[in-house]
Every structure is written in structure tokens, then in C-alpha cells.
Amino acid sequence: MGPVAWVLLAALGSHISRTVSEAVVCFSDFNEQTGGCSDYLGDGVSEEDCCLNIMYSFKREAHSRCEACRAAEWSQWSAWGPCTVSCLEGVQKRERVCTGQGDCDGDSVEVQACSVKDCCPKEGSWSSWSPWSPCSVTCEKGTTQRTRQCNNPAPICGGICPGSSIETVSCDTRQICPTHGQWGSWGPWGECSSSCIVEGSGVFPPQTRKRECNNPAPSVSPPGRSCGSESHQSKDCTVLPFCPVPGGWGAWKPESECSVTCGIGRIKEKRFCDNPAPKYGGRYCEGPVTRNTMCNTKVGCPTDGHWSSWQPWSPCTRLQDVINCSQKVGTQSRKRVCEEGRFEGNWCESNHKESRNCYNVEGCRLQGKWSEWSAWGLCLPPCGKSERTRKRECEPIYPDYPDHMLNQLGKLVDVFFSGTPNVHCDPINKETLKVEEKRECRNVIAC
């Protein structure tokens, strides 16, 4: 921690008096997908101080799990994982993480059926080998080869034929080829015998390079011609650097005020590579030029309120009148609550209450019609013996009442059916309200 941060903490002495057991490691960000802490701020602060900003996170020990400051909530579902089989039908799963303080309702794992390929690979068989090809050279030894096709029968669904489609063997022409020598390329210049000199000495070491008569080398029997001429070259190293002086870091010095006005922030410090400064190509100081140290404002960060979910609609009524099972229009309303505003954050925008016009069909006997089959549901439970379900439901056929009307201000508004009617559909398998179909999930992950 830098000098400025110590001054701030000393001025707020109550923090320093806290025991080590109350301290946490504080971070300014929380990854909802992985449940991990990021953007380290520092340690030695209390959980209460770190969570003055509810978007922060903390660890109780350096290697313990990350905890978010805000209330518990589910992360987004992960992408669906790979199918448990590469062909035919299997299952795949996805997961989510409960983050924050408290518990989340619901499951952390979902499993659904999947199929990568409708068939499984099947191997094929090879055809007969072709005749051997002519030898690849006209003197000395070469190679000859033969081939075969994977078509007897051909593989299906991505299968293969085991083994190779080509077979190669050596062949001998029993003829000798003479080879004359040729120079290879010059090799790189060798290093100078010394990498640096003392200023003013005037001593320049030599450097050499060579080449080989191997492009190709001359044959012995029958004999080939040699390369001749020179195989080595030498020259002086005319330019060498002075011996380098590595640099060293000076002391850290503060460069900024605390980065935030609420919660936990940072103070920036800087240092210079001047103790000593590097010379003659000497190594520059390794490590960062600046660093951030933690500072504590002891001030909570404002958090704006947010709306809760709407409460259920109230019963559809009209003052001093019975409107149940009739074309008479009533009204109903519902409410919601502004939650979790902190430290003088802004109040929720928009309205906390809304109303609408309605027909009351609570308990009214209505003819119904069967819905189409729903999509197949998730595999439950997500491991072991598991099955999925789809269903059809008896849906009401509402009366042909007008779906809009003019209100007292002369504005056209919608009218909704409200309540749970007594619906009747023609029986399917002796069921009049709901029918279900179940199917076993295959290749489910073991528990």
C-alpha cells in the first residue's frame, strides 16, 4: 500500500482496529458466468466496507470462493454442453451459478435430448492392390509403390478403411551414378570473441565463416570431382558496443488522489528507472512504471431502486353490480414495489400501479378446445434414469365479446377476459383438462 493510502486509513482509525478475522480480500468486479472475482483492489478491509458498493465482490481468504456483495441471483445459463454420444441420440446439459448473499430458487443444471448424427460410422474394405509402379530412379536404388481403393465396400457415415492406401518398397537398378561435388552456401559469420569493449581500447577480435562441399558431396566409386577453392573466410569485427550498464528502479512516489468518491478505490504511484539509469544498451528496469494501491473512502455508493415483479391482477369487478359470466365490463388493478435503493440512490421511474378493463369469467362454464402439443421439456432428473414430457391442454373458447371500448375520455382501450373459467373439452384417454406424453431420455450423464 502506498503512502497516500496509509494517510487515509490512519485518518479513519476505526478500520485499523478491526481484527484479522474480520478482514476480506476486496475486488471491484464479479464475473456472473464463472462466479469468480476480478480486478483486485486489496486486502485488510472489512466485508462491510468492501460492500459499500454492491457491485464489488470479496474473498474471506485468499484461496476461498468468491462472494458477490449484492443479493443472491442466478447467472445466465451457460451454453449447452457437448452431446454424450457422437451418433444416434444422447443428452447435453447446461448450468448456471447462484451468486451473491443467500440462496436462489430453482435448479443449477438442465439436461435435454440431442443428436449429433443420425447414424454411426461403419468401416469399409479395401480393393485388391494395383500392379507395382516402375522404379523411381535409373541408377542406384529408388522406390516403387502400389495402391488400393477403399471401395469394397465403401465406408458409410464417416467411417474409414483401416490401414494405408499406398505401399512403398525399395528397388535396386544395379547401376552406379557418379556424383560431382558442389559448394554449399556460406554459413553465417561466427560471433566475435568478445561481446563488448572498454571505451578507447581499439581492439577488434576476428570472426569467421565456412562452407562445406556437400551440395552434393563427390562420390567415391565411381569417383566424383571435388569442389576446390577456399572453404573458410575471416574478417575483423569493426564495430562493437561498449559494455552495457543495467538500470535500477528509484523509489515509488504518489501520482494521484483516490480514484473514487465512494467505496474502495485506488491511488496511482509511479517510479523511474534512474538508480542508476541504463547506459550503452544496458537492460532497462523490468516491471511496471506505475502501480495502484488501495484507498477507502468510508462512503457508501448510491444504488438506484428497481421494480419488483407485478403482483397478480385483482378480481374483475364493477361497483354495486354483478358482472360475472356476462358482457358487462369491469376493472381490475395490480401493483409492484420499488426495491433495494441504497445510500440515497434514485427512486424507481414510472408507475407502481396499473389498471385495465375486463370481462369476469371466473368459474364460468365455457366450451374448450385442445391446444397443439407443446415442445418436449427438459430431461428430468438431469442425471441417471431420466425422461422428458410434452402436453396438450384444454383451452377456453371465450365469448365473442368486443375486445376494445371507448373510456370516459373518449379513448379506445383494450378489454381483457379475467378469471379462471370452468372449461370442458371432449375427452382424450378419459382426460378432459390436460394430457401428457412422456419419453425416456437416452445416454444420460451418470449421477
Side-chain angles (χ1 to χ4, degrees):
M1 181 174 290
V4 177
W6 282 116
V7 171
L8 286 175
L9 294 175
L12 303 170
S14 61
H15 170 72
I16 298 176
S17 63
R18 290 187 175 91
T19 63
V20 174
S21 63
E22 296 175 317
V24 299
V25 184
C26 191
F27 300 80
S28 69
D29 199 11
F30 179 78
N31 189 316
E32 293 184 356
Q33 295 296 323
T34 64
C37 295
S38 61
D39 203 5
Y40 169 82
L41 285 171
D43 51 17
V45 297
S46 68
E47 176 185 339
E48 179 183 1
D49 285 348
C50 183
C51 289
L52 287 170
N53 188 328
I54 64 171
M55 301 308 294
Y56 284 9
S57 58
F58 63 88
K59 292 183 179 181
R60 301 190 184 279
E61 300 290 344
H63 300 290
S64 63
R65 71 179 182 89
C66 180
E67 297 183 50
C69 287
R70 55 183 175 271
E73 61 181 359
W74 286 113
S75 68
Q76 295 293 320
W77 284 106
S78 68
W80 285 105
C83 202
T84 53
V85 294
S86 60
C87 59
L88 302 181
E89 183 180 309
V91 295
Q92 59 186 161
K93 72 174 183 178
R94 65 177 181 177
E95 299 174 318
R96 60 180 178 177
V97 179
C98 181
T99 61
Q101 304 299 305
D103 298 320
C104 301
D105 294 330
D107 298 323
S108 63
V109 177
E110 286 185 347
V111 174
Q112 70 175 6
C114 59
S115 177
V116 177
K117 190 186 293 185
D118 293 333
C119 61
C120 290
K122 184 176 181 181
E123 290 184 351
S125 295
W126 292 108
S127 66
S128 299
W129 286 104
S130 69
W132 289 103
S133 67
C135 195
S136 61
V137 295
T138 58
C139 59
E140 297 187 345
K141 293 183 179 180
T143 59
T144 182
Q145 66 179 21
R146 62 179 181 175
T147 61
R148 57 181 177 175
Q149 303 295 320
C150 181
N151 60 3
N152 188 35
I156 61 174
C157 200
I160 62 171
C161 289
S164 175
S165 63
I166 300 176
E167 183 178 9
T168 302
V169 298
S170 62
C171 53
D172 192 352
T173 66
R174 301 185 183 279
Q175 300 293 323
I176 298 176
C177 301
T179 302
H180 305 301
Q182 297 288 333
W183 284 116
S185 300
W186 283 105
W189 287 104
E191 294 184 355
C192 298
S193 61
S194 176
S195 61
C196 62
I197 60 172
V198 177
E199 186 176 7
S201 66
V203 176
F204 300 99
Q207 58 183 161
T208 61
R209 67 176 182 176
K210 65 178 181 179
R211 57 181 178 176
E212 302 288 342
C213 186
N214 60 2
N215 189 34
S219 59
V220 176
S221 179
R225 293 189 298 270
S226 181
C227 295
S229 189
E230 60 179 355
S231 61
H232 290 75
Q233 288 183 341
S234 178
K235 70 175 183 178
D236 289 339
C237 297
T238 58
V239 178
L240 286 175
F242 293 116
C243 294
V245 177
W249 286 115
W252 287 104
K253 296 179 182 179
E255 193 180 40
S256 70
E257 300 295 331
C258 191
S259 61
V260 296
T261 57
C262 65
I264 302 294
R266 296 187 180 91
I267 289 179
K268 187 176 182 180
E269 294 182 326
K270 188 173 184 178
R271 59 182 177 176
F272 297 91
C273 186
D274 58 1
N275 188 33
K279 294 177 64 176
Y280 303 126
R283 176 182 52 82
Y284 193 82
C285 302
E286 296 182 357
V289 176
T290 61
R291 70 177 181 183
N292 293 316
T293 56
M294 187 174 61
C295 53
N296 189 347
T297 66
K298 288 291 185 177
V299 177
C301 295
T303 302
D304 295 339
H306 65 273
W307 288 115
S308 67
S309 298
W310 285 103
Q311 298 173 0
W313 287 101
S314 65
C316 182
T317 60
R318 190 162 78 182
L319 186 62
Q320 298 179 346
D321 198 357
V322 177
I323 65 173
N324 182 254
C325 304
S326 72
Q327 195 173 338
K328 296 178 181 180
V329 177
T331 59
Q332 58 185 162
S333 63
R334 63 179 181 178
K335 299 178 180 179
R336 58 182 177 178
V337 180
C338 186
E339 299 177 335
E340 287 197 15
R342 297 184 66 199
F343 300 117
E344 300 182 350
N346 294 326
W347 187 255
C348 302
E349 296 182 0
S350 190
N351 298 323
H352 76 286
K353 183 177 181 180
E354 64 178 14
S355 61
R356 68 180 185 183
N357 298 97
C358 54
Y359 300 114
N360 189 331
V361 294
E362 179 66 34
C364 302
R365 183 171 181 81
L366 298 178
Q367 182 63 35
K369 62 178 181 180
W370 287 106
S371 69
E372 297 296 328
W373 283 108
S374 68
W376 284 106
L378 299 171
C379 293
L380 297 175
C383 62
K385 187 175 182 180
S386 179
E387 63 181 13
R388 50 182 173 157
T389 306
R390 66 175 182 174
K391 62 184 179 179
R392 296 179 70 184
E393 295 183 303
C394 183
E395 299 176 342
I397 302 175
Y398 289 109
D400 190 20
Y401 296 164
D403 57 5
H404 56 270
M405 62 175 287
L406 292 175
N407 64 10
Q408 295 177 349
L409 301 177
K411 183 179 180 181
L412 197 65
V413 295
D414 294 330
V415 185
F416 301 85
F417 287 97
S418 174
T420 304
N422 182 5
V423 185
H424 176 75
C425 287
D426 294 333
I428 297 178
N429 297 332
K430 298 182 180 181
E431 298 292 337
T432 60
L433 294 179
K434 182 173 69 175
V435 290
E436 289 186 340
E437 180 176 324
K438 297 182 181 294
R439 179 178 293 178
E440 180 181 357
C441 293
R442 302 172 64 186
N443 298 305
V444 180
I445 305 166
C447 294

